[in-house]
């Protein structure tokens, strides 16, 4: 059947072409095995002739750099951190999924794929969910072998627990430090390659641009954050593994320095951007305590294994939680979703919590949260058992709030967490620019319109360790004998000149307002217009406000200091400039997608029960955007390409967690 996408609904946007994912045809369950066998190979003696740049040293970046270095390629890795292990991957606490099926609870690769595809509300690629599930089993063995201390049961078998959106126990964990332990193992492998001489690591370097022409990507332009020196690093292939862009909302669970600049500069050079409005709001973050708070703190979703979510049954009930009897408590997740209870997927939980808060039943000093209560679990399992499972999370909560979660319930609220959108890539993780690849959260694909808990660490790790080490060499095999452009080559000279001009432009505005102010105001606009729920009117207003804010940014920005030394105000200004353009595209995408799916919830499209109402007949495709316009605050235009999504194994159905 010929696929015809619907007309574009967003203003200043036009229809593009239909894209192909390049997924092998036939049974999606065997697509990855067939693709691996079909990849071209590079002989060991030739690998040292190829140079690969990896930007980012989180789970995807460190894994890709270490694996390619181990294979014999010359790798240069960049990170803006002062050490590779400080990448944001350390913050993912709860666990990593794997369909190993060691417990007799019905789990399997097929079950994993069904949960992932359905959890994403049928807006991701089915074949890539199979790859994720297939590689998940050996990924756990791999990380266990390189030093990740997974929790174990009494007999020595690796222990597992459940996460939202599933009814099996497939999440492997290291107490509440899983991301940190995986990151330590991955960076240790990276350090081994640095010592072996196959990988060169540059810390405190930020990517500012791509070296790119009509034939593809030939490297990156980076800025030394200490000296301010800007230079090009040419390569036969570039891997971007720079994480998500949730900090566009200012207040998020991400590290403060997480940003979108690398992927947005790639987008400015022609790399297409998929599903930018698909943003996950995590239900178990700590609520904001004041208007000047810089970020929010994430409490792991694993806490919902034993914690019960509730609010006072009656509006305005100000009694301390311990004095409110069960008859006056509303365990609204268990009431609304009895089959999954407190472990419904994050988008479902976030909407339900937001509805309770907006209805006036929020708790805490600002009435902006709900309770996560361990009273029953403590009575049932004892303090020692709960401490073994979540002790460090309880300590973190106590440090952040001054409240003892063993004595009083935690207070939680939804906050921006994970971005499912990112640079569009084909089945081989190659973007629309030949030679430019993506790994981890800065890409798209697996998660659809909602990411299931514990699939984040999995997807980043599978990309880095088990997908890019196949697909990047397959691309390099076609370039044997190609010389890299020199420093005086036009493509390099023009890329470096663009980067230097942009820095000078930021320094030259000469206004009176610092970049932090613009970032905070942008976050307020996005939460109001493109947050947990969206409407056409709200998105239209948000687009106009973002355009106005962008104009003010480029006329009133003040960057103190100069560009020839460490200047964190300049760094932030560049990142906020990119956020201001990305934010408009996010709202355009959300306005154009006239349906509800997963975390993209349009108030105009909901079931009588208040659940997301998909329109598969019209919107079963990925919106893949190109954008053009002046990058100094001028009007921008957009082109929506479309990749049809096919589901041959997991039939699209309405999600039902009741």
């Amino acid at each position: 059947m010929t696929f015809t996408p619907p007309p574009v609904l967003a203003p200043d946007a036009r229809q593009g072409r239909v894209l192909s994912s390049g997924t092998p045809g036939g049974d999606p369950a065997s697509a990855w095995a067939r693709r691996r066998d079909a990849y071209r190979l590079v002989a060991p003696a030739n690998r040292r002739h190829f140079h690969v740049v990896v930007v980012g040293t989180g789970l995807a970046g460190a894994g890709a750099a270490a694996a390619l270095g181990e294979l014999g390629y010359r790798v240069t890795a960049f990170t803006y951190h002062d050490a590779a292990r400080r990448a944001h991957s350390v913050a993912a606490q709860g666990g990593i999924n794997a369909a190993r099926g060691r417990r007799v609870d019905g789990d399997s690769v097929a079950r994993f794929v069904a949960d992932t595809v359905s959890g994403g509300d049928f807006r991701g690629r089915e074949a890539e969910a199979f790859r994720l599930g297939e590689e998940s089993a050996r990924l756990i063995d791999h990380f266990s072998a390189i030093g990740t201390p997974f929790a174990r049961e009494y007999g020595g078998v690796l222990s597992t627990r459940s996460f939202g959106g599933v009814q099996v126990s497939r999440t492997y964990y290291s107490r509440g430090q899983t991301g940190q332990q995986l990151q330590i193992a991955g960076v240790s492998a990276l350090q081994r390659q640095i010592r072996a001489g196959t990988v060169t690591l540059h810390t405190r370097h930020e990517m500012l641009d791509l070296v790119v022409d009509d034939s593809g990507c030939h490297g990156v332009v980076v800025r030394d954050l200490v000296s301010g020196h800007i230079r090009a690093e040419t390569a036969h292939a570039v891997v971007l593994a720079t994480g998500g862009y949730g900090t566009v909302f200012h207040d998020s669970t991400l590290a403060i320095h997480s940003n979108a600049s690398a992927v947005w500069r790639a987008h400015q050079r022609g790399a297409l951007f998929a599903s930018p409005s698909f943003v996950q709001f995590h239900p178990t973050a700590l609520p904001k305590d004041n208007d000047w708070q810089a970020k929010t703190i994430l409490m792991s979703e694993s806490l919902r294994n034993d914690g019960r979510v509730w609010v006072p049954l009656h509006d305005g009930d100000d009694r301390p939680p311990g004095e409110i009897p069960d008859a006056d408590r509303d365990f609204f997740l268990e009431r609304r979703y009895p089959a999954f209870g407190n472990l419904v997927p994050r988008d479902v939980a976030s909407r339900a919590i937001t509805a309770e808060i907006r209805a006036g039943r929020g708790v805490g000093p600002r009435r902006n949260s709900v309770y996560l209560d361990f009273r029953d679990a403590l009575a049932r399992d004892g303090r020692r058992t709960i401490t073994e499972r979540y002790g460090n999370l309880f300590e973190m909560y106590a440090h952040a709030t001054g409240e003892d979660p063993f004595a009083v319930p935690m207070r939680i609220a939804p906050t921006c967490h994970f971005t499912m959108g990112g640079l569009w890539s084909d089945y081989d993780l190659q973007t629309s620019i030949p030679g430019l690849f993506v790994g981890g959260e800065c890409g798209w694909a697996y998660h659809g319109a909602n990411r299931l808990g514990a699939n984040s660490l999995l997807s980043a790790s599978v990309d880095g360790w088990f997908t890019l080490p196949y697909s990047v060499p397959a691309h390099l095999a076609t370039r044997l004998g190609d010389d890299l452009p020199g420093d005086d080559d036009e493509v390099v000279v023009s890329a470096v000149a663009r980067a230097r001009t942009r820095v000078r432009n930021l320094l030259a505005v000469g206004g009176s307002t610092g970049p932090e102010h613009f970032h905070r105001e942008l976050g307020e606009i996005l939460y109001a217009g493109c947050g947990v729920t969206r409407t056409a009117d709200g998105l239209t207003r948000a687009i106009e406000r973002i355009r106005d804010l962008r104009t003010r940014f480029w006329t009133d920005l003040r960057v103190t200091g100069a560009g020839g030394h460490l200047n964190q105000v300049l760094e932030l200004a560049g990142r906020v400039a990119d956020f201001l353009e990305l934010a408009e595209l996010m709202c355009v995408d959300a306005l154009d997608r006239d349906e509800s799916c997963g975390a993209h919830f349009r108030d105009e499209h909901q079931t009588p029960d208040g659940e997301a109402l998909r329109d598969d007949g019209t919107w079963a495709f990925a919106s893949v955007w190109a954008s053009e316009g002046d990058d100094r605050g001028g009007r921008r235009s957009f082109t929506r390409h479309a990749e049809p999504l096919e589901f041959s194994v997991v039939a699209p159905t309405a999600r039902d967690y009741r």
Side-chain angles (χ1 to χ4, degrees):
M1 182 182 296
T2 302
F3 168 71
T4 304
V8 180
L9 301 176
D12 300 318
R14 59 180 179 271
Q15 192 89 285
R17 66 185 189 278
V18 175
L19 302 175
S20 170
S21 67
T23 303
D27 184 2
S30 61
W32 180 228
R34 285 181 281 123
R35 175 55 59 87
R36 285 201 308 262
D37 290 341
Y39 277 137
R40 295 183 62 174
L41 302 178
V42 178
N46 288 329
R47 294 173 187 170
R48 66 177 67 93
H49 300 306
F50 288 112
H51 183 210
V52 180
V53 162
V54 177
V55 184
T57 56
L59 283 178
L68 290 169
E70 179 73 34
L71 288 170
Y73 298 96
R74 290 186 295 116
V75 180
T76 299
F78 293 97
T79 175
Y80 59 75
H81 294 292
D82 53 7
R85 62 168 289 182
R86 294 194 64 187
H88 179 67
S89 298
V90 302
Q93 303 155 331
I96 179 170
N97 283 338
R100 299 170 90 224
R102 301 300 167 90
R103 284 191 177 208
V104 187
D105 64 353
D107 198 13
S108 64
V109 172
R111 180 79 65 182
F112 171 90
V113 172
D115 289 341
T116 298
V117 172
S118 174
D121 223 357
F122 300 91
R123 293 297 177 260
R125 284 193 190 135
E126 186 182 58
E128 293 199 351
F130 272 103
R131 178 168 65 196
L132 207 59
E134 179 182 343
E135 296 290 16
S136 67
R138 67 167 172 161
L139 188 76
I140 298 300
D141 294 333
H142 170 76
F143 270 112
S144 186
I146 64 175
T148 301
F150 288 116
R152 294 177 183 270
E153 297 176 355
Y154 178 76
V157 176
L158 297 185
S159 181
T160 58
R161 57 190 178 197
S162 299
F163 258 54
V166 304
Q167 292 177 306
V168 297
S169 181
R170 69 163 70 103
T171 304
Y172 295 77
Y173 62 99
S174 295
R175 297 188 68 191
Q177 304 173 345
T178 311
Q180 182 174 345
Q181 297 301 330
L182 293 174
Q183 179 70 11
I184 290 172
V187 169
S188 296
L190 177 65
Q191 295 290 352
R192 176 176 178 274
Q193 294 305 315
I194 294 171
R195 184 179 179 86
T198 62
V199 176
T200 302
L201 174 66
H202 296 281
T203 59
R204 297 181 177 180
H205 279 68
E206 185 167 42
M207 177 188 140
L208 295 187
D209 216 315
L210 281 183
V211 179
V212 62
D213 62 15
D214 292 340
S215 64
C217 181
H218 305 291
V220 297
V221 178
V222 295
R223 178 175 181 269
D224 184 323
L225 297 179
V226 177
S227 70
H229 179 59
I230 295 173
R231 67 177 179 87
E233 181 82 25
T234 56
H236 296 92
V238 172
V239 175
L240 297 186
T242 54
Y245 51 86
T247 39
V248 66
F249 283 82
H250 188 269
D251 302 325
S252 76
T253 62
L254 275 71
I256 289 177
H257 288 292
S258 296
N259 64 84
S261 285
V263 294
W264 191 252
R265 304 297 168 81
H267 179 64
Q268 289 177 326
R269 301 292 158 252
L272 301 178
F273 209 111
S275 305
S277 68
F278 287 179
V279 177
Q280 184 169 81
F281 296 85
H282 202 295
T284 56
L286 299 191
K288 286 188 66 173
D289 278 340
N290 60 75
D291 293 335
W292 302 105
Q293 193 168 322
K295 76 179 295 296
T296 51
I297 298 173
L298 175 66
M299 287 287 102
S300 169
E301 180 179 5
S302 62
L303 293 170
R304 287 195 282 143
N305 270 288
D306 289 303
R308 301 180 70 189
V309 177
W310 64 276
V311 293
L313 188 61
H314 306 292
D315 299 356
D317 189 340
D318 291 328
R319 287 178 290 177
E323 297 178 10
I324 301 178
D326 277 5
D328 290 338
R329 299 181 177 192
D330 182 8
F331 298 90
F332 55 93
L333 291 180
E334 299 170 31
R335 170 174 56 81
R336 293 178 60 174
Y337 308 102
F340 283 70
N342 295 291
L343 281 176
V344 290
R346 293 174 179 176
D347 62 320
V348 176
S350 291
R351 279 198 299 276
I353 292 171
T354 299
E356 295 297 326
I357 294 172
R358 289 178 177 172
R361 289 185 285 275
V363 302
R366 297 164 68 98
R367 295 192 180 280
N368 60 351
S369 55
V370 299
Y371 289 128
L372 179 62
D373 195 343
F374 289 84
R375 180 200 61 180
D376 294 346
L378 287 166
R380 181 185 65 241
D381 299 328
R383 179 166 179 147
R384 179 176 179 178
T385 298
I386 296 301
T387 300
E388 289 174 349
R389 292 173 183 165
Y390 314 111
N392 65 311
L393 298 173
F394 276 46
E395 291 173 8
M396 185 169 69
Y397 181 88
H399 283 303
T401 65
E403 299 172 0
D404 180 6
F406 287 103
V408 296
M410 292 182 178
R411 291 179 290 109
I412 58 170
T415 304
C416 176
H417 177 59
F418 189 92
T419 46
M420 281 78 70
L423 288 184
W424 180 85
S425 60
D426 62 15
Y427 187 72
D428 301 319
L429 300 185
Q430 185 167 223
T431 71
S432 54
I433 298 177
L436 178 64
F437 294 79
V438 291
E441 192 179 345
C442 69
W444 76 295
Y446 307 106
H447 309 301
N450 173 60
R451 178 177 68 81
L452 288 185
N455 267 2
S456 171
L457 294 176
L458 174 62
S459 57
S461 300
V462 167
D463 284 355
W465 286 103
F466 294 125
T467 304
L468 291 167
Y470 283 103
S471 61
V472 172
H475 166 76
L476 297 176
T478 66
R479 300 197 59 188
L480 191 62
D482 286 2
D483 294 326
L484 294 178
D487 290 344
D488 58 350
D489 193 292
E490 174 57 28
V491 67
V492 176
V493 172
S494 61
V496 173
R498 280 197 309 267
R500 289 175 175 162
T501 299
R502 185 172 177 83
V503 170
R504 283 197 298 269
N505 288 340
L506 291 167
L507 291 166
V509 176
S512 60
T513 305
E516 169 65 13
H517 174 90
F518 292 103
H519 192 189
R520 187 181 299 277
E521 189 171 341
L522 176 64
E524 293 171 355
I525 294 171
L526 279 181
Y527 268 113
C530 197
V532 176
T533 62
R534 298 112 184 244
T535 66
D537 288 344
L539 288 163
T540 301
R541 285 195 299 274
I543 291 171
E544 292 303 318
R545 293 181 65 191
I546 291 168
R547 289 173 176 170
D548 174 68
L549 186 64
R550 196 164 62 230
T551 300
R552 286 193 281 130
F553 176 88
W554 283 105
T555 54
D556 191 34
L557 172 69
R558 178 174 176 79
V559 178
T560 53
H565 54 72
L566 179 67
N567 188 339
Q568 292 186 312
V569 180
L570 175 62
E571 295 169 26
L572 179 60
R575 294 164 187 169
V576 174
D578 295 325
F579 281 146
L580 286 166
E581 295 180 8
L582 169 60
E584 181 178 355
L585 179 60
M586 292 168 63
C587 292
V588 166
D589 181 52
L591 180 60
D592 181 63
R593 182 165 287 274
D594 194 24
E595 67 159 352
S596 292
C597 56
H600 168 64
F601 189 86
R602 287 279 296 268
D603 283 354
E604 303 94 329
H605 303 288
Q606 54 184 301
T607 67
D609 296 324
E611 305 298 336
L613 184 60
R614 285 199 329 266
D615 180 0
D616 291 334
T618 307
W619 294 99
F621 65 90
S623 297
V624 185
W625 295 92
S627 59
E628 298 176 335
D630 175 22
D631 64 357
R632 294 187 61 191
R635 196 85 166 185
R636 304 189 64 79
S637 61
F638 309 92
T639 301
R640 188 197 69 197
H641 307 291
E643 181 198 319
L645 299 171
E646 299 176 355
F647 302 96
S648 60
V649 176
V650 186
T653 56
R655 292 197 300 165
D656 185 1
Y657 296 99
R658 291 178 169 78

